[in-house]
Amino acid sequence: MDDHLIGWLTSLDEDRLARVLANRPDAIAAPWPRRLDALAQRLTDTYAVMEVMRGLPLPPLELLQACLVIGGRPTEDELARFLGVSTSAVIPWLDHLYDHAVAWPGRDGRITVAGAVARWWTAPCGLGEPLGAYLDSWKLSTDALRRVCRMLDLPPHGGRRQVIARITALLGDSERLGALLDDAPDGTLGMLDDFAWDGPVRSVNGNRFITPGTPEKWALDRGLLFRTQWDLAEMPREVALALRGPDYRGPFTPYPPDLATTEADPDAVEHAMCLAAPHVLDRATALLENVDKTPLPLLKNGGVGVREVKRLARETGCAEDETRLLLEICAVARLIAIDEEAGGLTPAGRYDAWRLEEAPMRLRVLLAAWWRMERSSLRRVEGRHPAALGDDPAGETIARIRWALFAALAEIPEGRGFATLPELVQRMHWRAPLLDRELLDGCAAAVLEEARLLGLVACDALTGLGRALAPLAGVAGDEGRECVPEVEHDPALAKAATHAMASARRTALFGADLTAVVTGPPSVELAALLDRAADRESQGSASVWRFSPASVRRALDGGDTADTLIADLSEAGTLPQPLTYLIRDVARRHGEVTVSSVGCIVQGSDPALLAEIAAHRKLAKLGLRLLAPTVLAGAAPAETTLAALREAGYAPVPVDDTGEITIRREPQGGRLILLPGGRVAELEPPGPLLEPPPDPREHARRLLVSGGPAATAPPRQTWAVIGRMATRLPAAQQSLLGFVVDRDVRALITLADGVTATVSHGELRKGVLDAWCEEAGDYLEFPLNEIASVTADC
């Protein structure tokens, strides 16, 4: 426990503490800390500190490096001198560190850095470990230290600490080190400069460290280099700083790099969003319906192959890049999943509920999945796309690159767009310098293209959807989550999605040439209706469908009748006479012949018609024979018979085993919705409202009232109180209850009245166990004498 941190937290007022907690939501996650000492423990957790550092921009990270290089607990003035800037330039970014509790000031004005920073950052400013870490190592004996002293012309007498102090003082002084290097062998200075500026660890030739007269042997004998492995050597921090010289200043970049912008018409940006959003939802629906009909096979080593991606793109009318992107988004959204029995990807359980949602909600599900997706669908590796849904070693870093990109774009004023991608990447690097720079350079263009396809970026600027999504990086979740309600139900994103889908066309222009033209992005419902009864010929700013006898018959096969189809199409626009005639003509002949899948039986009401079919030469391959005046039996499967009869000019329809025409159309208005494939989805009422996130101000107020560390009882006293008060429990269960108090163990307790609770983080107070109850989501009091049993809960 860091007493400096607890002292600093105690000195904060409510506003400042609330600001710290707002930046560190991990510190007040349930079960939230009850006192400042518990809060300090959470704030200094190694993993939590690393997560915070990954989200910091460049200037505060440079300050952390400087603190580590200076060592100890530097002051603001010492930091400013090391960085070569004024103290006033340092203070705002120090406050940024304080607000994230990665560093904090003491009452003496000195700065303490969280211990996890030094453990994570082993080479600040490209400098190695302090010289003392090498000299005081168990690997270096006292006699070896004295030999180093003799090599440096230093007195070797005295204790180990005195010898280390003499060596450190000489090697850390630029002038004295320079005088020492005057007698070094040729090539020594160049070699040491390489370590000082491009180190601290470098590959070396181990033989040269044991060969007398070489620069490596000379430097090793005098403590300028230390060899940790045969072919690796390191330079201590003080030596590198001395070689860099007294004029060396640590890097400090308080201002972001320039980002040139160009004019971006806001109306054009929003228009592009309103075109892209309905198109994305329409194509995603088409892709899912295709996968529902035909499972998507996977490669042996995982992922979907290029051939299958091309087939899917061809059958759904998508571009290949669009298909690849939507396929991976649907997988992350858990709309498709691997089905071992089907031998590939099929719609998952969430798909049925998703397709019943309103269009804006369906769009938000897709956007939330892309927002947390740990791969870039359009990134090329070695000049080619990897297998869709294959493993990506970059993983989470790609999601962070996506968030950094949107954060940089969000800083550009509305009505402006970025001018060049390299400058945007520079700004992203300044905002998130711990991201892999090579991966960042390779991913930025691909992520931008994905954002354009999704309607999040247009004219090199964020659209309304993009601006609503940009602040949600903190609640994005990871790819392993099935859904992220914080994103999918975000009010700003919901409003933007509704606006983006509002421009979708719900009407079409029907022509006498049996075409339907939609002048703009069609709504999903309109596109589904037209796809059901017509063939799509083109798509873009305007989409064209063409009706034909085959397409109308497809709609009738799906369960439509002439009247229902005409009624549905009439709601989308005025139907010309030729189209009405076509529908009624196809419907009049539709069903005059039926085909059963039971051994392939062909039935008809007209004996002359069935006799004609049986004698038809082109249908001889079906092996049809007359069983009765109105019944034919065939050897070919029902699907083959249907296709052959239609090719010969007849209009058969499939029937089920009961003789009823198969109906696939989805009824409306009921509680149960019938879906393709015999599935049934239940119309569920809207889910409960999301619980509000923890209020930092409320927690700050509560923590300041509770004060500093509590006087905790020693373990023996804890067990004594439990043994005296929890008389219903056997000794083993009393011990487990003691662990709940002393070690924050999680356990399931049962009270005398049968009530159960999962508890942790307990405290003893006047005969009661005051512990966190998971079922209640709060701290509750449980009388010790009422606890009937305690069991471990893993």
Side-chain angles (χ1 to χ4, degrees), residues 297-378:
L298 299 176
L299 299 172
K300 291 183 179 179
N301 56 353
V304 179
V306 175
R307 182 178 300 175
E308 286 300 322
V309 171
K310 290 183 177 180
R311 177 192 64 80
L312 198 57
R314 184 174 60 254
E315 294 180 0
T316 57
C318 294
E320 285 187 31
D321 285 351
E322 194 175 41
T323 302
R324 183 181 297 275
L325 174 62
L326 292 177
L327 185 62
E328 296 194 327
I329 288 177
C330 290
V332 174
R334 301 300 191 272
L335 299 178
I336 54 176
I338 298 176
D339 187 333
E340 298 291 347
E341 293 183 2
L345 292 170
T346 60
R350 196 184 185 201
Y351 167 62
D352 292 340
W354 175 84
R355 68 198 302 256
L356 299 178
E357 295 282 0
E358 295 292 332
M361 181 60 198
R362 278 180 279 166
L363 177 65
R364 298 200 302 272
V365 169
L366 298 178
L367 295 181
W370 181 76
W371 194 232
R372 66 182 183 273
M373 191 166 72
E374 296 177 0
R375 59 174 61 83
S376 173
S377 304
L378 305 186

Side-chain angles (χ1 to χ4, degrees), residues 499-511:
H499 171 65
M501 298 302 298
S503 63
R505 299 289 189 268
R506 289 169 174 77
T507 60
L509 301 175
F510 294 94

Side-chain angles (χ1 to χ4, degrees), residues 209-233:
F209 279 80
I210 60 175
T211 303
T214 62
E216 289 81 0
K217 173 66 173 172
W218 187 90
L220 180 67
D221 290 342
R222 288 157 181 79
L224 302 177
L225 295 177
F226 289 86
R227 195 173 49 152
T228 55
Q229 297 180 25
W230 177 258
D231 56 351
L232 286 179

Side-chain angles (χ1 to χ4, degrees), residues 85-86 141 164 237 306 338 350 378 387 424 432 472 492 532 712 720:
V85 297
S86 63
S141 65
I164 291 175
R237 183 175 302 173
V306 175
I338 298 176
R350 196 184 185 201
L378 305 186
L424 180 64
L472 302 179
R532 195 168 79 229
T712 56

Side-chain angles (χ1 to χ4, degrees), residues 63 66 70 74-91 94 111 249-250 252:
L63 290 181
I70 295 172
T75 63
E76 295 174 353
D77 293 336
E78 290 172 346
L79 265 180
R81 282 196 299 271
F82 177 73
L83 299 173
V85 297
S86 63
T87 304
S88 59
V90 168
I91 289 176
L94 276 175
I111 302 164
R249 296 292 177 263
F252 188 54

Side-chain angles (χ1 to χ4, degrees), residues 154-419:
L154 295 174
H157 59 271
R160 186 179 181 90
R161 293 190 177 278
Q162 291 176 312
V163 173
I164 291 175
R166 294 191 198 106
I167 297 173
T168 303
L170 188 152
L171 297 183
D173 188 299
S174 296
E175 292 185 4
R176 297 175 68 185
L177 181 59
L180 176 67
L181 292 174
D182 288 341
D183 298 328
D186 292 341
T188 303
L189 186 57
M191 178 199 67
L192 294 177
D193 277 343
D194 290 341
F195 273 92
W197 294 100
D198 298 321
V201 180
R202 292 176 64 87
S203 298
V204 296
N205 182 349
N207 290 320
R208 293 181 63 83
F209 279 80
I210 60 175
T211 303
T214 62
E216 289 81 0
K217 173 66 173 172
W218 187 90
L220 180 67
D221 290 342
R222 288 157 181 79
L224 302 177
L225 295 177
F226 289 86
R227 195 173 49 152
T228 55
Q229 297 180 25
W230 177 258
D231 56 351
L232 286 179
E234 302 178 11
M235 176 174 283
R237 183 175 302 173
E238 291 85 349
V239 176
L241 282 173
L243 288 171
R244 292 182 183 186
D247 295 331
Y248 168 73
R249 296 292 177 263
F252 188 54
T253 316
Y255 303 106
D258 293 334
L259 178 60
T261 61
T262 58
E263 185 177 355
D265 183 6
D267 293 336
V269 172
E270 293 306 293
H271 178 66
M273 175 189 73
C274 293
L275 287 176
H279 176 77
V280 165
L281 190 54
D282 175 34
R283 293 301 85 203
T285 303
L287 183 147
L288 289 166
E289 289 176 350
N290 185 284
V291 175
D292 192 15
K293 295 174 183 176
T294 307
L296 196 61
L298 299 176
L299 299 172
K300 291 183 179 179
N301 56 353
V304 179
V306 175
R307 182 178 300 175
E308 286 300 322
V309 171
K310 290 183 177 180
R311 177 192 64 80
L312 198 57
R314 184 174 60 254
E315 294 180 0
T316 57
C318 294
E320 285 187 31
D321 285 351
E322 194 175 41
T323 302
R324 183 181 297 275
L325 174 62
L326 292 177
L327 185 62
E328 296 194 327
I329 288 177
C330 290
V332 174
R334 301 300 191 272
L335 299 178
I336 54 176
I338 298 176
D339 187 333
E340 298 291 347
E341 293 183 2
L345 292 170
T346 60
R350 196 184 185 201
Y351 167 62
D352 292 340
W354 175 84
R355 68 198 302 256
L356 299 178
E357 295 282 0
E358 295 292 332
M361 181 60 198
R362 278 180 279 166
L363 177 65
R364 298 200 302 272
V365 169
L366 298 178
L367 295 181
W370 181 76
W371 194 232
R372 66 182 183 273
M373 191 166 72
E374 296 177 0
R375 59 174 61 83
S376 173
S377 304
L378 305 186
R379 179 170 69 104
R380 292 181 178 272
V381 179
E382 297 179 354
R384 55 182 296 180
H385 290 302
L389 295 176
D391 293 333
D392 192 330
E396 180 195 10
T397 305
I398 292 181
R400 293 183 178 275
I401 288 174
R402 186 179 296 119
W403 305 336
L405 171 66
F406 272 63
L409 289 174
E411 294 178 343
I412 302 175
E414 292 191 37
R416 308 291 297 179
F418 68 91

Side-chain angles (χ1 to χ4, degrees), residues 375-735:
R375 59 174 61 83
S376 173
S377 304
L378 305 186
R379 179 170 69 104
R380 292 181 178 272
V381 179
E382 297 179 354
R384 55 182 296 180
H385 290 302
L389 295 176
D391 293 333
D392 192 330
E396 180 195 10
T397 305
I398 292 181
R400 293 183 178 275
I401 288 174
R402 186 179 296 119
W403 305 336
L405 171 66
F406 272 63
L409 289 174
E411 294 178 343
I412 302 175
E414 292 191 37
R416 308 291 297 179
F418 68 91
T420 65
L421 182 59
E423 288 186 351
L424 180 64
V425 171
Q426 288 285 353
R427 179 69 68 96
M428 292 169 61
H429 179 65
W430 185 87
R431 287 194 57 86
L434 295 185
L435 292 177
D436 185 293
R437 182 58 187 270
E438 184 178 352
L439 184 62
L440 176 61
D441 293 340
C443 275
V447 173
L448 267 176
E449 185 58 30
E450 293 170 15
R452 291 189 183 99
L453 290 175
L454 296 173
L456 302 171
V457 172
C459 304
D460 295 330
L462 286 181
T463 64
L465 276 174
R467 289 193 177 277
L469 197 59
L472 302 179
V475 293
D478 56 56
E479 192 176 273
R481 293 180 61 179
E482 179 176 345
C483 63
V484 184
E486 298 86 352
V487 178
E488 295 172 5
H489 296 280
D490 179 75
L493 185 61
K495 182 178 178 181
T498 302
H499 171 65
M501 298 302 298
S503 63
R505 299 289 189 268
R506 289 169 174 77
T507 60
L509 301 175
F510 294 94
D513 59 348
L514 301 181
T515 59
V517 179
V518 180
T519 57
S523 68
V524 176
E525 295 76 14
L526 177 59
L529 171 62
L530 295 177
D531 283 339
R532 195 168 79 229
D535 297 316
R536 193 182 302 221
E537 289 189 340
S538 66
Q539 57 187 354
S541 56
S543 302
V544 179
W545 281 262
R546 182 172 297 278
F547 293 87
S548 66
S551 67
V552 173
R553 185 169 58 240
R554 182 175 67 234
L556 299 179
D557 287 347
D560 278 301
T561 64
D563 291 336
T564 59
L565 184 57
I566 290 174
D568 289 346
L569 292 174
S570 296
E571 292 180 3
T574 304
L575 301 188
Q577 230 175 25
L579 179 56
T580 304
Y581 287 164
L582 173 66
I583 294 173
R584 293 200 180 279
D585 183 60
V586 173
R588 185 170 57 254
R589 301 191 62 202
H590 188 260
E592 61 185 3
V593 175
T594 63
V595 176
S596 175
S597 60
V598 181
C600 191
I601 296 176
V602 181
Q603 304 175 31
S605 58
D606 187 353
L609 177 62
L610 262 65
E612 176 188 329
I613 293 174
H616 202 297
R617 286 185 297 176
K618 290 185 177 179
L619 300 177
K621 60 183 179 181
L622 298 178
L624 296 173
R625 61 187 186 277
L626 197 63
L627 298 181
T630 58
V631 180
L632 289 173
E639 292 78 9
T640 305
T641 303
L642 275 172
L645 288 172
R646 286 170 177 171
E647 186 177 354
Y650 299 96
V653 294
V655 298
D656 60 18
D657 292 340
T658 65
E660 295 293 332
I661 295 177
T662 305
I663 301 297
R664 295 183 182 175
R665 193 176 179 204
E666 300 174 11
Q668 302 294 328
R671 180 172 177 76
L672 297 179
I673 299 295
L674 301 178
L675 301 175
R679 298 194 306 275
V680 177
E682 185 174 355
L683 283 175
E684 299 179 355
L689 295 177
L690 292 175
E691 292 186 7
D695 182 4
R697 183 168 293 278
E698 180 183 341
H699 281 282
R701 188 181 301 117
R702 176 182 54 77
L703 285 165
L704 291 176
V705 170
S706 66
T712 56
R716 290 184 179 179
Q717 185 173 340
T718 297
W719 292 43
V721 171
I722 292 176
R724 187 174 68 253
M725 302 294 295
T727 55
R728 296 175 183 268
L729 299 176
Q733 294 186 19
Q734 289 180 351
S735 299

